[in-house]
Amino acid sequence: MIKQIHSFEYFLLAINELNETEKQLYEAALSAIAQAYAPYSNFRVGCSILLSSGNIVCGANQEVASYPVCLCAEGVALSTASSKHSEETIVAMFVAVKGKDGWVYDVAPCGVCRQRILEYEKRYRQNIALYWPVSEKTILKVSSIKHLLPFAFSGDKLESP
Ligand code: THU
């Protein structure tokens, strides 16, 4: 038996270390929270996406009384980006969350969203940087979803239809 250990890299940035584009993306994610429809969880998630043109598109979670039907903010934002701007690549994403009592920090994208993000990295052959706040003053950044999804199902073994 061989034991293997996998490590991954991430960065912690103080808010004032974000460049202007990253700051705009952060602000856009915070603003997107206002579009969340989350009467069942009160967990209001905003996601902003930076496109290769510099445009920013956003999404927010959309809930349904039948819980499994809920749409995550990341999925809404990715689908908006790809259906409205399919010619542009996705460069970066920012996710922010507000709960019943205020900001919620350190919320990483769920497994389904990670798989979706991987799909767009593959589709556009472009790493997507991912950011979320881990505290009031600190942002976590990963430079590609591959760091958050080891042993991913990439579809490369699917047979051609
Ligand atoms: N949610 C997201 O929007 N993104 C995630 O990555 C995890 C969860 C939403 C779905 C649901 O509306 C609420 O948060 C609670 O799970």
Side-chain angles (χ1 to χ4, degrees), residues 10 14 33 38 48 73 103 117-118 122 150:
Y10 62 96
I33 291 173
S48 54
W103 299 111
I117 296 166
L118 178 70
K122 275 186 347 178

Side-chain angles (χ1 to χ4, degrees), residues 37-38 41 43-46 60-63 70-75 95 107-111 113:
Y37 174 67
S41 69
F43 198 73
R44 300 161 63 80
V45 187
N61 57 329
Q62 305 296 316
E63 297 189 343
C70 293
L71 297 174
C72 285
E74 297 89 325
V95 183
V107 180
C110 77
C113 291

